[in-house]
Amino acid sequence: MTLSSNIAIALGALSLLLGVWVLLLARSRRQHARRGRDLSAEARAANSRAEAADARALAEEMKRKTAESSMQEVATREAELLDELRHLGSARLPALGLNAISSHHPVPGLLHKSLAGSEGAQLLDAIPEVVSGIIRKERHRTDAAARAALRGATQESQALSYRLQTYFMDLQHEFSAPLRLTQSLFESDHLNEQNLRLLQKAAIVCGGWPGHVRKDTRVAEVVGSASSRLRGFNRVNVASRLGSNIGVVGRAAEPVAVVCAELMANALEHSRDDLMVEVSLIHTGSGSVCITIDDAGKGMEPEDLARGRRLMSGEEGEVMLTEIGDPPSMGFPAIGRLVADYGLHVSLESPSPYGGVRAVVSVPENLLTSIDENVTPPSVMAPQPAVAPQVHTRPAPADSPPPTPAPDSAAALPQRRRRFTAKTVNNDADGAPKALRLDPEQTGAMWSDIESGLASGQSITDSE
């Protein structure tokens, strides 16, 4: 074997070894590549599992935080609801009770504005409404019971006062005593009249009727009888511009008298004792009669004036007894009740021409009537129509014709009648008046005229 053959064999063996090595190397690479791919897949799977675990952990954390937030919100809402319940019991419901007495007391709302619109807030707001309805029903029930009790008590007292009034009238017709005792009798009668006025307006406020039964009465006599019921009646000056035949129908005569009496009483009470209350009666173009009452007092505050107008408008219905003050002021509520029942109209204005308050009572035409003066002569106690003032004219020249008298001069107006003639007082030579000699017959006639005037002015029958 030659060297070349040995070299060839060696090269062939070497080539074979290289080929085997290459094959083994390729196989190893394929194995390593497969293992790498498997490892990469395992790594990706591990990463995915790790990400999923992280996501689950994050979700759990979010759930935990959400649960904690919900629990905190529930706790906050529970605390707010507890605060609202405490606020409802300590502030809102007590304020609701005060508001039921007077609207000047406001009712507070929710304590936490964040609850507005929620179901809990609706339930909390529904509770005061329910309680308010219960309070109103209970107040009306209690007030109705109090009205019934007071009405029954005043009716019995009114009946006794009417009987006492009749007794005084009989005594005035039959009584003959010294002047001091006679004055005491008149004062007792007047005190009974004042007490009867207080009972009368209390009965009217409680739903009762005025209690007097009258026949058709002249407007001037109605106003005069109203002023005679008041303490300080001598401070009331009545000026009538009505005809003597204008009267009020019987069913409305006493209500008109009550309204005028309460307005004049208010004017007397709120003005000084040395100030007069001016009352004027006029007939308007619409057919109604207006009774104007002016005082020179200090007037009324805007709030009091507005409240008085509201109470006397007749639109309030039944005024609660708890709303008329303590001590109770029943004048304006009584007027409002009569205005609503009889169709009168009462207005208040401040200030009056004298700086006080002006009250105007308008009696509609359907409550007026005509009274025959020959059949029913006017009472001597009633104010007479005012006489027009005399106008002083300059004397006409001698060569001028005498003026023609006007057809409706002052002489044609109704004059004040006198039921007795005044005696002339004779004077001595030195101008000193002689002592006035009283004629027993004339004195008896004068006393009879006064009694008949009182009887005609009152014309009252006992309602009980």
Side-chain angles (χ1 to χ4, degrees), residues 93-379:
L93 292 182
L96 183 66
L98 294 176
N99 182 263
I101 300 174
S102 174
S103 59
H104 294 289
H105 298 280
V107 179
L110 294 174
L111 189 62
H112 299 281
K113 302 301 181 183
S114 59
L115 293 176
S118 63
E119 184 178 1
Q122 294 176 0
L123 293 176
L124 289 171
D125 289 336
I127 293 175
E129 294 179 1
V130 174
V131 174
S132 178
I134 295 173
I135 291 176
R136 284 195 299 269
K137 291 181 180 179
E138 186 63 21
R139 285 191 65 207
H140 283 289
R141 186 190 67 81
T142 305
D143 193 78
R147 284 174 181 275
L150 184 57
R151 183 168 59 247
T154 53
Q155 286 177 350
E156 294 181 1
S157 299
Q158 275 183 289
L160 293 176
S161 295
Y162 293 148
R163 293 176 60 184
L164 185 60
Q165 186 182 64
T166 304
Y167 181 69
F168 279 129
M169 291 176 61
D170 295 340
L171 282 179
Q172 291 170 13
H173 282 282
E174 300 175 2
F175 197 67
S176 177
L179 180 61
R180 182 178 59 83
L181 294 180
T182 304
Q183 182 67 23
S184 298
L185 176 63
F186 282 128
E187 291 177 355
S188 301
D189 187 16
H190 191 237
L191 286 175
N192 182 61
E193 285 282 351
Q194 297 177 52
N195 179 63
L196 186 56
R197 183 180 70 86
L198 299 177
L199 294 172
Q200 189 179 40
K201 67 179 178 181
I204 292 172
V205 171
C206 293
W209 69 301
H212 284 186
V213 178
R214 285 178 178 262
K215 60 183 180 179
D216 295 349
T217 310
R218 291 175 174 82
V219 178
E221 294 180 2
V222 169
V223 177
S225 68
S227 65
S228 66
R229 307 173 186 183
L230 308 175
R231 182 173 60 89
F233 63 93
N234 55 333
R235 292 167 48 206
V236 179
N237 181 32
V238 182
S240 175
R241 295 177 177 84
L242 300 176
S244 58
N245 64 331
I246 300 178
V248 183
V249 296
R251 64 182 178 87
E254 184 60 23
V256 172
V258 172
V259 171
C260 293
E262 294 306 320
L263 292 174
M264 286 188 285
N266 186 70
L268 291 171
E269 182 179 357
H270 292 88
S271 57
R272 294 199 315 267
D273 293 340
D274 59 338
L275 298 176
M276 297 294 293
V277 174
E278 301 294 334
V279 181
S280 61
L281 316 178
I282 61 172
H283 202 177
T284 66
S286 61
S288 63
V289 167
C290 285
I291 304 168
T292 305
I293 302 170
D294 291 311
D295 66 73
K298 59 183 180 181
M300 298 177 66
E301 296 295 331
E303 294 82 4
D304 297 334
L305 189 64
R307 182 175 182 272
R309 288 170 177 169
R310 177 174 56 84
L311 291 175
M312 292 191 297
S313 64
E315 300 174 356
E316 287 289 310
E318 290 187 353
V319 180
M320 305 290 289
L321 294 179
T322 55
E323 297 177 357
I324 57 179
D326 184 17
S329 178
M330 298 187 178
F332 287 171
I335 293 174
R337 186 63 181 263
L338 295 176
V339 166
D341 291 344
Y342 293 92
L344 305 173
H345 181 267
V346 180
S347 62
L348 283 180
E349 299 176 8
S350 182
S352 71
Y354 308 105
V357 177
R358 161 170 286 185
V360 180
V361 182
S362 179
V363 184
E365 188 176 7
N366 64 305
L367 297 180
L368 301 176
T369 186
S370 180
I371 300 177
D372 190 353
E373 187 173 352
N374 296 323
V375 176
T376 307
S379 169

